[in-house]
Structure formats: structure tokens, C-alpha cells
Amino acid sequence: MRTAEIALSNGSVLKLRQKDFHGSARGATDATGTTLWPTALPLLLHLQGMWPSLQASTGVMRPLRVLELGAGCGLLGMGLAATCGANVVLSESGAALGDGEEDGTARSWLESNVELNREVCELHGGQVSTTKLSWGDAADMAATRSQWAEGFDLCIASDVLYDNGRYPELLATLEAFSGSSPETAKARGTDADAAAAVLGYQIRNGQERRFGDESEHFTVLRDMIPGVPKPG
């Protein structure tokens, strides 16, 4: 295990516990969230540039309520809290990280990183919480909806499109929570281009280009994000 220090655009520094990923993913064990994947930082910078228009599209003056799916180490969501003052809920599954009980779960790994960085997030007006949310899981979705009954203005995620077998569950979760705050739902009724979800990804298998096309909930717009490396 190692701790990386990530410098943000406003001079803040996030400390992220990481360890090498050895291949278990989205099953009984899932260690994908212990590694900082390459799209997170470029997507954070991209979202920072979009933030004024995202805020304007909601029609509200309060900080945006953001749900991150598959938050992993937490860089993306905590970065928005620390630089944009966002009210962020970071979500992860309850899957075990490895074979040993001492490894904990994907969510407990995320929570440890949140505690390392809570002060720097709150210093800049942001709020950070975590929730257990496995994509498409009815009980997890109901619990999250109950705890944050005010809904979310925006959903975000980075590097979550590597397994196209999980796309239906991921899409169902995005549709359930994206733009679910009353203010944002009303604003989106008059502005079809207002973003309710922003995802960043590398092209690994080509299926990523089709994600969301079958949804009746979203109009999908795609753009290149500078700084995302090509898979090597």
C-alpha cells in the first residue's frame, strides 16, 4: 500500500491510499477501487471547467448535489468538493477487496480515503459522504434514495465502462439518480441540453461508444477529454 498526494488546481492536496490492482473485478471480490485509474484527474479538470454552466443549468444557488458511482479511491468526487464546494456522495459496492478479512470492502477503502481528506474538502466549502451502492441493486438504491431524499443534481463516474456486461445495471442506476433533485428535474424540463450525468472513460473495447444509446432517459453527447491516455 502507498499514499499518493494529488495536487489540485486551487493548491489543495488530496492524500489517496492506493495499492496495486491484481485482477479481481465486480464479483465476490473487487479490488478495482484500490487503484487510481487514468481518467479520474482529466475528468476532474474537465468538470471544473464545466462547473459554471452546470450550476447555471440547475437554476439553483446552493452547492450542487453530486453522486459519484464507483468512486474507488475518491479522487473525482473529493476533488469537486475541495475545488468547487460541491456536496458529494461517493458510492461504492460492499464487495470484498480480497481473500483476507483484513482487506475490508470497496466501500471501507473509500471511507478511509474520505477521512484522510475530509478537512481539506470542508475547508473549501465542500461536503463529502459515502454510501453503499451496487449498481442495479434495489435495496441499495432504495437506501440511498431514502437517506438523500432531496435527490441529486448530477451523477459522475470515471473508468466504469470496462465491463459491458454491467452496462444495464449501471444505466439503470444513472437513470434512477441523475437529475433527481426537484430543482434540476424542473430545469431540465426546459433545457434539453442540461447535463444530468457526466462520465469519463478510455476506449478499451469499443463498446464504450454505445453506452447509453438505448436509454430513453438520456440524450448522449460525447467529447474528447484532454489528458486521458490511450490504453497501452
Side-chain angles (χ1 to χ4, degrees):
M1 187 185 74
R2 60 193 181 279
T3 300
E5 294 190 352
I6 308 296
L8 303 179
S9 58
N10 64 352
S12 301
V13 175
L14 295 180
K15 296 180 179 180
L16 300 176
R17 294 172 64 246
Q18 300 182 72
K19 63 180 180 180
D20 293 333
F21 169 64
H22 293 298
S24 59
R26 305 299 172 195
T29 62
D30 182 1
T32 54
T34 64
T35 297
L36 182 60
W37 296 95
T39 306
L41 187 55
L43 180 58
L44 173 59
L45 296 173
H46 184 71
L47 281 166
Q48 287 170 349
M50 293 177 64
W51 208 250
S53 62
L54 289 170
Q55 183 79 56
S57 71
T58 65
V60 299
M61 299 301 293
R62 59 166 169 73
L64 295 186
R65 300 183 189 124
V66 180
L67 175 65
E68 181 177 3
L69 304 182
C73 292
L75 170 62
L76 181 58
M78 289 193 294
L80 288 177
T83 60
C84 299
N87 184 344
V88 183
V89 176
L90 306 174
S91 70
E92 258 298 350
S93 74
L97 293 179
D99 297 328
E101 291 185 5
E102 70 279 1
D103 289 336
T105 66
R107 184 187 176 186
S108 66
W109 184 271
L110 173 63
E111 287 178 328
S112 68
N113 274 329
V114 168
E115 292 310 313
L116 273 179
N117 296 283
R118 188 175 299 281
E119 185 175 347
V120 70
C121 292
E122 293 179 350
L123 179 65
H124 296 279
Q127 297 182 40
V128 183
S129 307
T130 70
T131 189
K132 176 178 172 290
L133 181 56
S134 298
W135 304 338
D137 185 285
D140 283 358
M141 292 170 71
T144 299
R145 189 177 292 109
S146 176
Q147 187 169 359
W148 286 278
E150 69 275 15
F152 299 97
D153 305 305
L154 179 71
C155 285
I156 57 174
S158 68
D159 287 298
V160 296
L161 299 186
Y162 52 84
D163 179 4
N164 60 299
R166 298 295 311 279
Y167 285 5
E169 297 151 335
L170 174 58
L171 187 59
T173 307
L174 285 168
E175 290 178 340
F177 292 105
S178 297
S180 56
S181 71
E183 303 97 327
T184 303
K186 182 178 179 180
R188 283 182 54 79
T190 59
D191 183 359
D193 292 330
V198 180
L199 278 62
Y201 55 88
Q202 287 181 291
I203 299 295
R204 291 184 170 91
N205 56 39
Q207 297 299 315
E208 299 91 345
R209 294 186 178 92
R210 300 182 179 88
F211 179 77
D213 287 346
E214 70 277 18
S215 174
E216 296 180 1
H217 185 85
F218 294 113
T219 298
V220 179
L221 302 176
R222 292 182 170 84
D223 196 6
M224 297 292 292
I225 300 177
V228 178
K230 295 181 179 179

